[in-house]
Amino acid sequence: MLYYVRKAKEQDLADILTIIENGRETLNKAGIPQWRNNDGPNKERLLNDLELEEGYVLIEESKIIGYGTITKEEQTGYGKITNGSWLPSDKYISLHRIAIHSDIKERGKGQFFLGCLISLSVNLGYKDIRIDTHPVNTRMQKVIEKAGFKYQGDIILPSVSDGERKAYQVII
């Protein structure tokens, strides 16, 4: 099978929303309080991703099976880290809203997708790449660590309920 990553387009929005809703259901079934209570990705946020050209899709043959963003702006909550520290850097880029359709997850595509997003980040000129996930989202923590990220400490995302997150970083 052919897998590749490309920049998301507005005509991909319906497929992206399906991927995100599937991710929301998967998190809910696993008892992970992430992306609940109208927190997390929604149509407005995804349209903003597309407008900023920050959204990327993972394709299997010709079907969208994953979504994620590469965000250049400084992240609210990343400024204050506890139980550790960020490695020093001039500038960083962050990965967010990573979701792979649940039919695909068992085939290692989450790690593959993160690897592609890391490569794209490096091509954009960034060597410091950051990502976070909820403390009880152990499945995503394993994917993040297998992709080469190291746990750096804990952050709070002030814009979401239950905003505690484990923060990870890789320096290329």
Side-chain angles (χ1 to χ4, degrees):
M1 286 227 176
L2 174 65
Y3 293 92
Y4 64 95
V5 173
R6 68 164 167 78
K7 199 167 273 202
K9 304 171 190 170
E10 194 167 334
Q11 58 263 36
D12 299 329
L13 185 60
D15 291 331
I16 294 168
L17 285 166
T18 298
I19 298 293
I20 295 298
E21 187 55 36
N22 176 261
R24 195 179 315 276
E25 290 169 8
T26 300
L27 290 168
N28 189 38
K29 286 178 188 173
I32 300 168
Q34 195 172 345
W35 293 5
R36 289 194 193 171
N37 304 319
N38 296 320
D39 286 337
N42 57 35
K43 185 176 182 178
E44 181 181 326
R45 179 67 228 173
L46 296 171
L47 282 169
N48 189 55
D49 291 346
L50 298 175
E51 184 178 312
L52 295 172
E53 298 186 2
E54 293 181 343
Y56 291 84
V57 289
L58 173 62
I59 309 291
E60 178 184 70
E61 296 298 330
S62 61
K63 182 180 178 187
I64 294 173
I65 62 166
Y67 179 75
T69 65
I70 299 175
T71 305
K72 296 176 188 175
E73 69 182 41
E74 269 193 40
Q75 298 301 291
T76 306
Y78 278 27
K80 184 177 179 185
I81 189 167
T82 59
N83 301 319
S85 63
W86 296 113
L87 298 171
S89 172
D90 293 353
K91 63 180 182 170
Y92 68 87
I93 203 163
S94 55
L95 308 180
H96 294 289
R97 292 180 275 295
I98 307 298
I100 307 290
H101 197 283
S102 62
D103 292 346
I104 309 300
K105 287 184 183 173
E106 299 306 317
R107 295 190 278 172
K109 295 306 169 216
Q111 186 179 343
F112 170 80
F113 191 31
L114 278 181
C116 291
L117 294 176
I118 289 168
S119 294
L120 289 165
S121 298
V122 171
N123 285 335
L124 291 170
Y126 290 83
K127 297 194 181 289
D128 179 351
I129 306 163
R130 301 178 185 188
I131 191 169
D132 64 80
T133 194
H134 197 279
V136 298
N137 194 347
T138 56
R139 179 183 288 173
M140 187 61 179
Q141 291 168 30
K142 288 176 186 172
V143 170
I144 288 169
E145 289 169 358
K146 282 184 178 182
F149 288 88
K150 301 292 183 223
Y151 170 71
Q152 297 303 127
D154 302 314
I155 60 167
I156 303 285
L157 299 179
S159 59
V160 298
S161 59
D162 202 13
E164 300 87 8
R165 299 289 186 267
K166 287 187 169 278
Y168 296 83
Q169 181 180 34
V170 64
I171 303 284
I172 306 295

